[in-house]
Amino acid sequence: MNTAIQNAETALTDTVVAAFARTPDPRLRQLMQSLVRHLHAFVADVEPSEAEWMAAIRYLTETGQMCDGAVRQEFILLSDTLGVSMLVDAINHRKPDQATESTVFGPFYIAGMPERAAGENMALTPGEPALVHGHVRDTEGRPLAGALLDVWQTAANGMYSGQDPAQPHGNLRGRYRSGEDGSFAIRTILPVSYPIPGDGPVGRMMAATGRHIYRPAHLHFMIDAPGHQQLVTHLFNAGDPYLASDAVFGVKPALVLEYSRQSADSPLARQHGFDTDFHEGRYDFVLSRA
Ligand code: BEZ
Ligand code: FE
């Protein structure tokens, strides 16, 4: 490209950046000017044809049209599959070393799910029985009593209640409180790996780029304790085949939980009312100060 043409293209970027120079809100000014610079740099880098640019506009339009204002949020899914959600999460949750790491929130949380007693079974549909238990502590190792653990996972068919009309209200969801010693116990079924919604623009992008749409099996947590930072995280099943290729890049080694087999006649089975063998996972959450 000759220098005069290149200069004209650079000058255009400078003109657009300058057009935002008088934005009264300094943060909005920074956001808009940086967005213009990066967007122009991307276009200058890939030099799209006009047909390609129209295809990109159509893609974003269809992404918006796929959202239903309730369960389906295709833009979050796009942010997740491009790794942007995890980058935003990392920037906003820089924690002390001892604190449990956060991960992506995902689109399937539902507020106001049943309050459950310690050890109560939140699985109303079949699966491999499991117990997930441990403690909630602060970064000095002190127990956090009365912490609220809001928990959700898919059924054995890989779908969340709320997403799958066949599941009863509150299935595999619940709000548990830690006891005086910070302990919690969740009776459930072993999480399974499942595909993120693949029937929209995000699914097309994943297929066209040779990526799969699976998430490794996990249990979601949102944990609140007074005076401490909220923790949004998952516990992933050790050994899951998708741990190294999570479609939304949410896996962190410290969040991988090894389950062990417990027999129906173990003291733990008696304590928690299991009459079959089950999977036991133990995990201690550490919350940092607000
Ligand atoms: C989830 O784990 O629920 C989830 C996270 C990101 C995208 C889709 C699903
Ligand atoms: Fe999930």
Side-chain angles (χ1 to χ4, degrees), residues 76-77 80-81 85 104-109 152 154 160 194-197 215-216 218 220 234 246-248:
I76 294 184
L77 219 49
D80 294 340
T81 50
S85 302
V104 65
F105 187 53
F108 295 117
Y109 173 74
W152 66 106
T154 69
Y160 287 91
Y194 66 88
I196 61 171
R215 296 217 64 207
H218 58 271
H220 288 258
H234 308 351
D246 182 2
V248 304

Side-chain angles (χ1 to χ4, degrees), residues 191-260:
V192 295
S193 45
Y194 66 88
I196 61 171
D199 58 345
V202 169
R204 291 207 313 270
M205 178 273 287
M206 298 293 271
T209 56
R211 291 176 58 193
H212 70 72
I213 57 171
Y214 279 81
R215 296 217 64 207
H218 58 271
L219 178 55
H220 288 258
F221 288 85
M222 181 161 74
I223 306 179
D224 283 285
H228 292 78
Q229 283 180 33
Q230 184 182 70
L231 172 65
V232 172
T233 197
H234 308 351
L235 295 179
F236 295 93
N237 300 15
D240 188 284
Y242 298 108
L243 280 176
S245 63
D246 182 2
V248 304
F249 308 99
V251 178
K252 294 176 177 177
L255 301 177
V256 176
L257 174 62
E258 189 86 52
Y259 287 85
S260 61

Side-chain angles (χ1 to χ4, degrees), residues 50-265:
E50 286 170 316
E52 284 174 331
W53 189 242
M54 275 320 294
I57 302 247
R58 233 180 3 258
Y59 183 84
L60 292 175
T61 304
E62 286 164 15
T63 299
Q65 287 166 339
M66 199 75 198
C67 300
D68 62 11
V71 182
R72 190 64 182 264
Q73 226 304 349
E74 196 74 359
F75 271 113
I76 294 184
L77 219 49
L78 187 57
S79 156
D80 294 340
T81 50
L82 295 179
V84 178
S85 302
M86 280 305 290
L87 185 55
V88 172
D89 179 73
I91 290 165
N92 283 276
H93 299 282
R94 294 173 179 142
K95 290 172 187 289
D97 283 349
Q98 318 88 302
T100 304
E101 292 181 84
S102 55
T103 190
V104 65
F105 187 53
F108 295 117
Y109 173 74
I110 301 178
M113 285 295 104
E115 288 186 31
R116 299 194 187 276
E120 184 178 333
N121 192 358
M122 67 172 189
L124 311 174
T125 51
E128 292 189 39
L131 174 71
V132 178
H133 63 152
H135 291 81
V136 185
R137 302 190 205 275
D138 68 13
T139 51
E140 271 78 56
R142 291 180 293 240
L144 291 174
L148 181 64
L149 297 94
D150 208 331
V151 185
W152 66 106
Q153 70 172 89
T154 69
N157 68 359
M159 293 177 83
Y160 287 91
S161 58
Q163 180 192 22
D164 172 9
Q167 289 179 43
H169 174 81
N171 188 36
L172 292 156
R173 297 178 183 272
R175 290 184 289 159
Y176 293 83
R177 284 217 181 257
S178 62
E180 280 307 307
D181 58 352
S183 65
F184 70 91
I186 299 156
R187 189 169 161 181
T188 184
I189 55 173
L190 194 66
V192 295
S193 45
Y194 66 88
I196 61 171
D199 58 345
V202 169
R204 291 207 313 270
M205 178 273 287
M206 298 293 271
T209 56
R211 291 176 58 193
H212 70 72
I213 57 171
Y214 279 81
R215 296 217 64 207
H218 58 271
L219 178 55
H220 288 258
F221 288 85
M222 181 161 74
I223 306 179
D224 283 285
H228 292 78
Q229 283 180 33
Q230 184 182 70
L231 172 65
V232 172
T233 197
H234 308 351
L235 295 179
F236 295 93
N237 300 15
D240 188 284
Y242 298 108
L243 280 176
S245 63
D246 182 2
V248 304
F249 308 99
V251 178
K252 294 176 177 177
L255 301 177
V256 176
L257 174 62
E258 189 86 52
Y259 287 85
S260 61
R261 292 292 294 185
Q262 291 287 342
S263 79
D265 52 20

